Amino acid sequence: MWPPPGLGNVFTMKKSAVLLFCCILCALATKTHAQVVASATRSPLSLSVGGMGSLFQPDYAGTGVPAQAPNRLYGVGTYVDLRIRHWVQLEAEGRWLRFNQYENIYEDNYLIGPRVPIHETRRYKPYAKALFGYGKMNFQYNYAYGHFADIALGGGVDVPLTRKITLRAINFEYQLWPNWLNGTLKPYGGDVGISYKIF
Amino acid sequence: MMFRKISLTLLTLVLGVSCAYGKKKAPKYEQAHPLTPEQSALVEKAIGQEKVLIKAIQERTPLVETYIQDTRPDVKLYQIPVDDQYTLSRVDFGKGFFDKTYEPRDKSKKGFFKGSFAAITGLSKSLGLDKRFTYNPTGFMQMMFLDPSGFDSQHYEFSYVRKEFLGAVRTWVFDVHPKVNGMGRFYGRIWVEDQDGNVVRFNGTYTGPSSADDSRYYFHFDSWRMNVQPGIWLPVAIYVEESNRGDSDKPIGLKAQTHFWGYSLKLPTRDSENVSMKIEDAEDKSDDSQDVSPLQASRAWLTQAENNVIDRLEEAGLVAPLTPNGFETQVLDQIVVNLAVPNNLALATPVHCRVLLTTTVEATTVGNTILLSKGLIDSLPRSGAGSEASIASVISVELAHIAMGHHIDTRYAFNDRLLFPDEATFKRIEMNHSDIDDATAAKKGMEYLQASMYKDKLPEAGLFWEQLADRGKQLRALNTPMLGDSLLKPDGTPWMSDLSSQAPKINWDDLTQIPASPLGSWLKTDPWDDKVHMLNAKLYAPLNARDKMPLEVTPIYFKLQRYETAAAAAPPPAPVAGAAQPPADQPATAPPAQATPPAAGDPAASSPTQGVSNPPPTNPQ
């Protein structure tokens, strides 16, 4: 029997990866074609640092299993956007959801990963991103805390206000904590922020 | 399973993005007025001719030179240059439209650390990390085309404007804009000559990226073509200008000129000076000796090296072929005589001048030939008391090099040393003198000037050197020689500092004081055969400080002529320059009233004389 049991997922993954790679190439091709070469280029490298306010559903109500919490966690965070090329961008973020706690339960996120611009205009810059890292959870009544792998899929819209300052009008993230204690924790929420372009 | 889900999510995302970009929307422009059948026919002709032109250019490998000056606003002078960049390339039309840059002379010393540093610099340059804003010479070169692969009525909308004469050529003017989205499509105005439908001028820009964050830039330009051969219109010059590049918070603008020449490069011809002749009953006892003295042999060897170098430079399109009774002989050679005679310089062979076709300000000698760059001549004052004395001050230094025996390396007498690609010319031919030679030549040159007819006008001549040193701080590329010597020392002071110290202080408000001219003030290069001709343009006195524009890039304007018209209207060759004293405000070698035309019957020199001028800076009075 081919593929052998257990390897099926790997092959499916490989096919998806190849397809994904081909699609990225196609996307790049549609973007880069120009009738004549540009007369000048600016270094596309840019670095922006920002701060944000967050509102998240922690997906844990202190029962030992993932479940909708009665409260929403509020928090603050910081993010860094590194743009190397138009299609090569990285985002790193740290988020501390420490306010409006229910039984002292809170979550922190430390994530980094690629981000892709989606049909940018001069006024609006939508994007999608996939971040990886870890989340820290403090359990009820402070009896324990733990660090867990964290994957965040999300997107948002940036609105440039000036050449240096950009408003993060909305940023939504759907997180997956696959190695959480009893099943996969799925916190989700949004942020609003503002960033300053250092260079 | 989890990774599969993630992968599929990403896939959907990428497909969505791709589709969003792939979707073509018609750009928003004003509705074009429908063309009449006559106008449509001319547009169709122009589209066809554009394809013919691209094919015609693909058969040639012209040189393309781009000189860019970055500018910043100035209260008094409107705009002043703050930086500059120079590139010389040979266009390679083999598989696409690219350029092969003439690599600059390598001055750096070798060493492990320097090599490593260069490698790191090269890496960061290729990653675009070293500099915030980088000009792309290929982008400037491609401004010779409206759209190299898609100029047709499916992709562009045409709107008739009016009829207009550009010089002697009647044109129909159309506004053009793309029907489809996409980067690098032309939008602006085109001038189509009414006989064959050639686009002779276009003025506008290319569509840029949709995102303000995009790191690519397209500038506004004015591109000109000339009727260089029967039925052939080829790109000759482009002027680029932006008052603000838009890449930073500082209002940095740019002005640039791109020139094309060398469409018909061919090997130079040199007739042998010793023609074998058999004369009956002749009794010549002295000159028919078969023996050559060691000194004679050395000189012959040196001459061979020098001839090889000049031929190679001409072949590479870097030295203008000599025009009979042209600018070189009528103006420059005469000044050489004016300096040599009073100084009793008894040189074995006569000294001649040639023009190096680069815009960089430089000069050098190859044997008894003085090479002055077009950029140097172009920036010398064209009017005023010190005009001719300024030229003489430059020539005096080169004459001193010749008199003092500062000759080039005789290794070029071996022809194999000159077998290299044209693009390597700057690296492979060393014609620059050492700093010690330059210093001694400048001192000797000063002596020549003081003993010459120019001795009373030396303060005015010194103004040019003073201005050059003043602007040299910003215009480093202009003062970086490609082949010869800079007129400035490595510390930025002029070699002829004795002369500049005699000059009065530069006074922008004194309108009679003209230390230097805008670039392109003296000469024009024939794009077909590379010969240089003196500009036949009316001179206007500056009305204010902004009109002076010393060593600055200015707009380009041509008075176009048809090839047949120009050939038929060609005046007879100008008379040979005499040694007569010139009027006080004119060069000794008063230039001909009309630019010297190509000699009749010489196929290589049969291109038309096109009227070209930099437009007067302000309202002519």
Side-chain angles (χ1 to χ4, degrees):
Chain A
M1 191 179 163
W2 185 260
L7 284 182
N9 279 349
V10 175
F11 278 88
T12 317
M13 248 180 71
K14 270 191 178 176
K15 276 181 195 169
S16 300
V18 169
L19 197 61
L20 178 67
F21 182 69
C22 291
C23 288
I24 288 172
L25 280 184
C26 291
L28 286 176
T30 56
K31 174 67 185 164
T32 52
H33 176 72
Q35 295 298 108
V36 294
V37 177
S39 309
T41 50
R42 173 172 49 83
S43 169
L45 195 71
S46 72
L47 182 75
S48 300
V49 178
M52 59 189 176
S54 310
L55 172 65
F56 263 70
Q57 162 57 251
D59 195 31
Y60 182 60
T63 56
V65 290
Q68 287 281 314
N71 65 323
R72 301 280 184 276
L73 280 174
Y74 305 134
V76 291
T78 183
Y79 60 97
V80 177
D81 285 338
L82 176 68
R83 181 192 166 113
I84 299 165
R85 287 281 184 273
H86 181 75
W87 286 99
V88 185
Q89 298 183 24
L90 276 180
E91 177 164 320
E93 65 179 29
R95 185 183 291 108
W96 298 273
L97 300 165
R98 300 289 182 97
F99 305 111
N100 195 32
Q101 295 173 7
Y102 171 69
E103 295 174 351
N104 294 334
I105 297 167
Y106 67 84
E107 293 173 3
D108 296 341
N109 309 132
Y110 303 95
L111 302 162
I112 188 166
R115 121 187 189 138
V116 190
I118 305 171
H119 201 58
E120 290 185 343
T121 65
R122 285 183 187 274
R123 294 185 65 181
Y124 302 104
K125 303 195 179 303
Y127 61 86
K129 62 184 179 182
L131 309 182
F132 308 88
Y134 74 91
K136 177 187 167 187
M137 170 168 274
N138 191 61
F139 289 89
Q140 59 271 29
Y141 309 118
N142 294 323
Y143 78 82
Y145 69 89
H147 294 99
F148 306 96
D150 185 355
I151 299 162
L153 301 176
V157 180
D158 280 351
V159 181
L161 300 178
T162 67
R163 194 183 286 275
K164 289 279 188 186
I165 296 171
T166 299
L167 173 72
R168 175 157 286 188
I170 181 69
N171 176 64
F172 178 79
E173 278 181 23
Y174 186 79
Q175 297 185 358
L176 302 165
W177 296 32
N179 301 328
W180 198 69
L181 301 174
N182 302 308
T184 300
L185 197 72
K186 295 169 184 168
Y188 60 89
D191 315 283
V192 175
I194 198 155
S195 68
Y196 180 79
K197 189 173 173 183
I198 295 171
F199 61 83
Chain B
M1 202 63 185
M2 176 70 67
F3 286 106
R4 193 177 160 192
K5 274 185 184 171
I6 293 165
S7 189
L8 281 171
T9 311
L10 280 175
L11 181 66
T12 315
L13 191 69
V14 170
L15 277 173
V17 172
S18 182
C19 289
Y21 275 108
K23 193 180 170 188
K24 298 278 178 192
K25 278 187 197 167
K28 289 171 188 168
Y29 294 100
E30 277 183 29
Q31 184 65 40
H33 299 293
L35 300 179
T36 64
E38 201 184 0
Q39 290 162 358
S40 294
L42 191 65
V43 165
E44 285 306 317
K45 225 181 199 181
I47 289 168
Q49 284 299 102
E50 202 59 20
K51 290 184 174 72
V52 172
L53 172 115
I54 291 169
K55 216 170 210 176
I57 297 174
Q58 276 174 332
E59 293 166 4
R60 296 173 172 85
T61 54
L63 276 89
V64 51
E65 179 196 60
T66 299
Y67 178 59
I68 306 163
Q69 285 183 347
D70 290 342
T71 59
R72 71 165 169 79
D74 184 83
V75 176
K76 190 179 183 71
L77 304 175
Y78 180 58
Q79 275 186 328
I80 53 168
V82 290
D83 199 358
D84 66 341
Q85 186 174 313
Y86 177 84
T87 348
L88 182 67
S89 317
R90 184 177 279 283
V91 183
D92 179 9
F93 295 120
K95 290 177 183 172
F97 294 100
F98 298 104
D99 58 339
K100 286 184 177 176
T101 307
Y102 277 60
E103 298 153 33
R105 207 160 54 201
D106 189 11
K107 283 183 178 173
S108 61
K109 288 172 186 169
K110 298 276 181 283
F112 177 76
F113 290 108
K114 286 190 176 169
S116 307
F117 181 71
I120 292 165
T121 311
L123 184 66
S124 58
K125 198 178 258 184
S126 63
L127 290 171
L129 307 179
D130 66 322
K131 209 175 173 186
R132 298 292 295 151
F133 197 84
T134 313
Y135 291 113
N136 180 6
T138 307
F140 282 82
M141 182 268 287
Q142 289 195 350
M143 290 173 185
M144 73 163 97
F145 301 112
L146 283 159
D147 183 334
S149 59
F151 186 66
D152 51 43
S153 45
Q154 282 82 51
H155 294 95
Y156 287 92
E157 192 83 54
F158 297 84
S159 172
Y160 176 75
V161 180
R162 61 170 178 269
K163 287 178 186 170
E164 187 179 326
F165 273 94
L166 291 179
V169 177
R170 193 170 66 169
T171 62
W172 292 34
V173 186
F174 296 90
D175 278 344
V176 179
H177 61 77
K179 283 180 180 173
V180 290
N181 253 349
M183 270 210 313
R185 290 198 182 272
F186 176 77
Y187 71 98
R189 186 162 285 190
I190 62 170
W191 282 255
V192 184
E193 54 93 13
D194 63 353
Q195 278 184 18
D196 300 319
N198 290 289
V199 177
V200 297
R201 179 188 181 190
F202 49 102
N203 172 311
T205 187
Y206 296 116
T207 49
S210 57
S211 166
D213 265 3
D214 200 295
S215 54
R216 287 167 288 186
Y217 292 81
Y218 291 91
F219 302 128
H220 289 84
F221 62 94
D222 192 9
S223 189
W224 289 80
R225 293 166 178 177
M226 267 189 194
N227 193 190
V228 294
Q229 287 288 283
I232 301 177
W233 290 78
L234 291 172
V236 288
I238 299 160
Y239 173 67
V240 183
E241 184 185 291
E242 290 290 342
S243 49
N244 192 343
R245 293 188 316 208
D247 63 304
S248 70
D249 295 329
K250 292 175 189 168
I252 298 290
L254 77 116
K255 289 193 288 183
Q257 281 187 0
T258 298
H259 290 276
F260 300 88
W261 72 85
Y263 282 110
S264 172
L265 281 179
K266 59 177 191 174
L267 295 179
T269 53
R270 183 185 295 281
D271 293 331
S272 170
E273 289 171 2
N274 300 314
V275 180
S276 176
M277 293 172 72
K278 190 177 180 183
I279 303 168
E280 293 290 324
D281 301 326
E283 286 190 17
D284 189 345
K285 303 280 185 186
S286 58
D287 293 340
D288 64 352
S289 167
Q290 297 302 306
D291 302 324
V292 175
S293 72
L295 181 60
Q296 271 180 298
S298 297
R299 283 184 176 168
W301 187 244
L302 187 59
T303 305
Q304 187 173 318
E306 290 156 4
N307 288 345
N308 282 350
V309 168
I310 294 284
D311 286 354
R312 185 68 188 86
L313 292 176
E314 204 176 303
E315 193 187 324
L318 294 172
V319 164
L322 211 51
T323 310
N325 302 323
F327 175 78
E328 297 95 326
T329 48
Q330 287 206 326
V331 178
L332 302 178
D333 286 359
Q334 189 56 48
I335 293 175
V336 172
V337 172
N338 293 346
L339 286 166
V341 170
N343 284 288
N344 297 317
L345 292 177
L347 297 159
T349 48
V351 174
H352 293 294
C353 296
R354 299 287 291 270
V355 177
L356 205 59
L357 289 167
T358 53
T359 293
T360 46
V361 174
E362 58 183 303
T364 192
T365 56
V366 179
N368 275 21
T369 303
I370 293 172
L371 291 174
L372 303 178
S373 71
K374 183 175 175 293
L376 166 58
I377 296 166
D378 275 344
S379 57
L380 286 158
R382 181 93 196 250
S383 57
S387 172
E388 190 183 334
S390 304
I391 306 176
S393 69
V394 175
I395 289 180
S396 68
V397 180
E398 304 310 314
L399 195 61
H401 276 303
I402 293 171
M404 297 169 92
H406 300 159
H407 60 73
I408 60 162
D409 197 322
T410 50
R411 64 185 162 157
Y412 302 117
F414 295 105
N415 290 65
D416 62 291
R417 293 195 190 277
L418 295 158
L419 298 176
F420 48 76
D422 287 348
E423 300 83 58
T425 308
F426 296 150
K427 276 193 167 178
R428 301 292 285 271
I429 300 182
E430 289 169 17
M431 304 195 319
N432 56 314
H433 298 98
S434 66
D435 286 356
I436 296 168
D437 283 356
D438 281 332
T440 50
K443 204 173 172 187
K444 182 61 82 179
M446 195 65 204
E447 288 172 27
Y448 292 164
L449 286 171
Q450 278 162 344
S452 74
M453 58 185 273
Y454 305 111
K455 63 174 182 239
D456 298 330
K457 291 174 185 164
L458 295 187
E460 286 89 347
L463 270 172
F464 170 72
W465 295 82
E466 196 181 345
Q467 180 74 75
L468 191 69
D470 183 51
R471 281 274 156 104
K473 292 164 206 155
Q474 290 83 35
L475 305 179
R476 278 169 292 189
L478 188 69
N479 285 289
T480 302
M482 294 286 122
L483 280 163
D485 302 318
S486 172
L487 270 62
L488 302 177
K489 292 178 196 173
D491 65 2
T493 56
W495 284 110
M496 291 289 265
S497 50
D498 290 347
L499 193 61
S500 60
S501 60
Q502 292 182 17
K505 279 222 171 275
I506 291 173
N507 179 2
W508 289 94
D509 296 321
D510 181 358
L511 300 180
T512 59
Q513 191 191 74
I514 303 181
S517 302
L519 294 173
S521 292
W522 278 87
L523 299 175
K524 56 183 175 181
T525 308
D526 189 312
W528 186 256
D529 63 14
D530 300 353
K531 290 183 178 173
V532 288
H533 304 287
M534 192 143 159
L535 209 64
N536 181 25
K538 197 174 175 182
L539 298 178
Y540 294 103
L543 293 175
N544 49 56
R546 293 179 178 190
D547 283 356
K548 290 188 174 182
M549 301 181 287
L551 300 148
E552 287 181 27
V553 168
T554 57
I556 294 169
Y557 197 88
F558 290 91
K559 289 179 180 170
L560 298 178
Q561 283 181 294
R562 292 191 186 280
Y563 180 83
E564 292 82 2
T565 316
V576 178
Q581 238 0 43
D585 61 341
Q586 281 289 311
T589 49
Q594 188 77 16
T596 311
D602 179 0
S606 60
S607 58
T609 306
Q610 299 280 359
V612 55
S613 71
N614 292 89
T618 55
N619 186 24
Q621 292 288 317

